[in-house]
């Protein structure tokens, strides 16, 4: 069992920055990759960024060059640094942990609201 707690969301002006954190607990040794996804009201959930156990990263096209996903091994926490924020970045951001053992499974956090508005 894995539990995920997101934090760091809030209201920010266009062009501003925000850093989200995701703190996992439980059976974290089974986690192969973690990521951030977002969902705006009435829209499909969208991939933002992922990072594997080995440190390989991927980004959604809409956030490339602006967002950075990283891990702090000392704190066992995953971060999403969001720069040059745009109104279209407004969404609930969810942390995901993907496990491959004992079977393929995704764990999800409760989500944190990010609102970009002037």
């Amino acid at each position: 069992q894995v539990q995920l707690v997101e934090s760091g969301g809030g209201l920010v002006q266009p062009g501003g920055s925000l850093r989200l954190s995701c703190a996992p607990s439980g059976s974290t040794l089974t986690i192969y990759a973690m990521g951030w996804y977002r969902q705006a009201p009435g829209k499909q959930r969208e991939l933002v960024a992922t990072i594997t156990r080995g440190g390989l990263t991927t980004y959604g096209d809409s956030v490339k060059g602006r967002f950075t996903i990283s891990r702090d091994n000392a704190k066992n926490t995953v971060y999403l640094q969001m720069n040059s924020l745009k109104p279209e970045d407004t969404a609930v951001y969810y942390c995901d942990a993907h496990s491959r053992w004992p079977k393929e499974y995704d764990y999800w956090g409760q989500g944190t609201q990010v609102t970009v508005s002037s």
Side-chain angles (χ1 to χ4, degrees):
Q1 184 71 263
V2 175
Q3 296 82 42
L4 302 173
V5 178
E6 303 106 326
S7 62
L11 176 64
V12 64
Q13 294 184 334
S17 297
L18 209 59
R19 189 179 74 164
L20 306 183
S21 300
C22 178
S25 62
S27 302
T28 58
L29 291 178
T30 68
I31 297 174
Y32 170 74
M34 297 185 67
W36 291 94
Y37 296 76
R38 66 188 184 187
Q39 188 168 22
K43 298 183 179 179
Q44 296 276 15
R45 186 172 59 186
E46 175 188 25
L47 184 149
V48 177
T50 63
I51 185 166
T52 70
R53 186 198 305 161
L56 298 177
T57 59
T58 60
Y59 295 92
D61 290 339
S62 63
V63 306
K64 288 180 179 178
R66 299 188 298 121
F67 291 9
T68 303
I69 189 170
S70 62
R71 280 181 171 171
D72 185 334
N73 292 329
K75 297 182 178 181
N76 197 28
T77 299
V78 174
Y79 302 96
L80 183 69
Q81 179 66 45
M82 305 185 295
N83 298 325
S84 302
L85 283 162
K86 305 174 181 179
E88 50 263 45
D89 295 318
T90 297
V92 177
Y93 284 69
Y94 295 93
C95 181
D96 165 65
H98 183 75
S99 177
R100 290 184 172 181
W101 190 92
K103 59 182 68 177
E104 297 283 332
Y105 196 82
D106 284 289
Y107 300 89
W108 294 94
Q110 81 285 352
T112 184
Q113 176 71 47
V114 172
T115 302
V116 184
S117 176
S118 59

